[in-house]
Amino acid sequence: MTIFSRLLTALSLVLALSLIAPAASAQVNPTESSVNEDALFQALGTSPVAGRVTIPDANAGYLIKPENKSWAALQGQTLHTLSIVAVVGMIAILALFYLIRGKIRIDSGWSGRKILRFNAIERFAHWTLATTFIILALTGLNLIIGKSVILPLFGEAAFGTLSTWGKIAHNYLAWPFMAALVMIVLLWIIHNVPNKVDLEWIKQGGGLLKKGVHPPARKFNAGQKLIFWSVVLGGAALSYTGIMLLFPAEAGTAADWQFYQTIHALVAAALSAIVIAHIYIGSVGMEGAFDAMGSGEVDENWAKEHHALWVEEVKATQDRNTKQVATPAE
Ligand code: HEM
């Protein structure tokens, strides 16, 4: 090491210490033995390690804030565990449900007659919402549990690439997700207002638990209304907190930003668990259900068993339209 580089190192050390010293020196003995991280935090209590800055952003003067440590612990431990419990727990419950109840069949069998359930615009909104949500959920989950689950399995290089692209996808796919969320609110809110038909549906457990039980329902039953409102309110909470995280300058202080981040992660974990249950019932869990969002047309017997009142409404509208065509205006 040349004299010049030694001088430079010494100068940097003096500068760094002078930045920390004003706040720390009041409470900590700046000797070798006390200046290790744990001792420093113990001595500081909740006071931050700060120096002085002359630029307008006073936050730039903070080297370490102990409260950020508790936020990091909340991330690394509590939210980490909660996210895993929510997702794995729901998958375990559904696997158990499948073992006990099996696939919910069309009791009266396929009729071969079709009835239009969702038009192309509704299906476009649903699949935009669904694909963006699934990618957002997986890339978000990677931020919380990736380091402990993905990194050991696939190694640093793969985890690094996945996380970099995942973050970009997360930031950009949030926008089509929000647009699709607005679309499903506009398209379906009218069918999701709770009414007294829902009480009967709930009383009979939605017919999900026993074979041959089919409580009447209109376009959406009480279970679907629960999914709809969870997606809409949860999605709105995720959108608001997500925008705050994307634009931290709008979020307020660092503590506000941490609050938004915690709510974002909690709502995401809860909504992911709910959506996993929805995906199960809309695919492998119920015979004939997927067609509603696949081709848009469902079997008439399926519709009569799960949405009898809606079938009556559709038939009544069709009859009215046929009569109008048959009686031309004078
Ligand atoms: C592969 C994944 C998915 C499949 C197979 C699926 C399937 C379905 C089906 C078949 C329906 C119509 C049910 C009916 O006819 O009554 C539906 C409705 C709906 N889906 Fe999905 N879906 C998926 C993912 C998602 C995701 C990720 C979300 C939201 C984030 C979502 C939100 C909704 C909502 C709000 C409804 C209307 C309410 C309801 O039927 O529960 N779906 N989905």
Side-chain angles (χ1 to χ4, degrees):
M1 206 186 247
T2 64
I3 294 212
F4 179 69
S5 59
R6 274 176 206 208
L7 265 173
L8 210 64
T9 315
L11 197 63
S12 329
L13 271 173
V14 170
L15 274 174
L17 278 174
S18 67
L19 188 67
I20 301 173
S25 62
Q27 300 144 61
V28 183
N29 174 12
T31 64
E32 187 89 9
S33 62
S34 75
V35 183
N36 68 53
E37 201 182 58
D38 286 342
L40 188 67
F41 278 129
Q42 239 175 1
L44 285 170
T46 54
S47 345
V49 179
R52 278 190 302 268
V53 286
T54 51
I55 57 171
D57 182 8
N59 270 327
Y62 291 113
L63 281 186
I64 301 167
K65 279 186 172 179
E67 63 263 37
N68 289 356
K69 286 253 161 186
S70 26
W71 172 71
L74 179 77
Q75 286 277 307
Q77 290 153 24
T78 317
L79 291 179
H80 178 271
T81 313
L82 267 175
S83 307
I84 295 178
V85 168
V87 171
V88 178
M90 182 52 86
I91 294 173
I93 291 172
L94 292 170
L96 195 71
F97 180 75
Y98 184 76
L99 284 177
I100 297 171
R101 175 67 166 92
K103 190 171 186 145
I104 299 169
R105 301 274 172 198
I106 305 176
D107 286 333
S108 46
W110 297 85
S111 72
R113 287 183 304 278
K114 297 280 179 197
I115 175 165
L116 180 69
R117 184 141 171 83
F118 295 111
N119 64 29
I121 297 172
E122 289 172 300
R123 281 177 283 142
F124 171 77
H126 174 267
W127 287 120
T128 308
L129 187 79
T131 44
T132 51
F133 180 86
I134 291 168
I135 299 171
L136 287 165
L138 291 176
T139 51
L141 198 64
N142 180 50
L143 293 178
I144 304 268
I145 68 164
K147 209 168 159 190
S148 67
V149 178
I150 309 285
L151 178 66
L153 281 176
F154 299 100
E156 281 177 2
F159 175 64
T161 315
L162 187 79
S163 303
T164 310
W165 284 105
K167 185 185 172 295
I168 295 169
H170 201 89
N171 289 356
Y172 285 98
L173 289 179
W175 303 99
F177 169 79
M178 286 187 267
L181 193 65
V182 172
M183 279 186 84
I184 68 147
V185 171
L186 296 176
L187 289 166
W188 293 339
I189 195 165
I190 188 92
H191 302 294
N192 280 286
V193 180
N195 56 39
K196 57 178 189 305
V197 178
D198 298 328
L199 291 177
E200 191 49 40
W201 191 91
I202 294 168
K203 248 196 246 163
Q204 298 193 34
L208 295 173
L209 305 172
K210 252 203 208 149
K211 242 183 135 184
V213 178
H214 299 295
R218 296 177 72 181
K219 178 137 180 165
F220 290 122
N221 60 41
Q224 290 176 298
K225 287 180 184 177
L226 193 72
I227 301 281
F228 175 85
W229 287 111
S230 306
V231 169
V232 169
L233 299 177
L238 286 171
S239 305
Y240 180 74
T241 50
I243 290 172
M244 290 298 133
L245 299 180
L246 273 176
F247 303 106
E250 305 300 315
T253 64
D256 294 331
W257 189 91
Q258 288 166 0
F259 170 77
Y260 289 129
Q261 192 280 334
T262 307
I263 299 295
H264 195 78
L266 283 175
V267 174
L271 192 57
S272 300
I274 293 172
V275 164
I276 289 172
H278 165 74
I279 293 175
Y280 168 79
I281 211 79
S283 56
V284 287
M286 182 186 277
E287 187 175 35
F290 184 82
D291 293 343
M293 280 301 168
S295 64
E297 290 183 328
V298 288
D299 191 86
E300 206 173 285
N301 281 354
W302 177 90
K304 280 182 183 157
E305 287 180 10
H306 299 292
H307 300 275
L309 302 175
W310 171 71
V311 177
E312 283 171 22
E313 283 164 15
V314 173
K315 296 249 180 223
T317 317
Q318 277 170 355
D319 286 350
R320 261 199 313 275
N321 291 346
T322 327
K323 270 185 205 142
Q324 266 167 17
V325 173
T327 347
E330 287 166 37

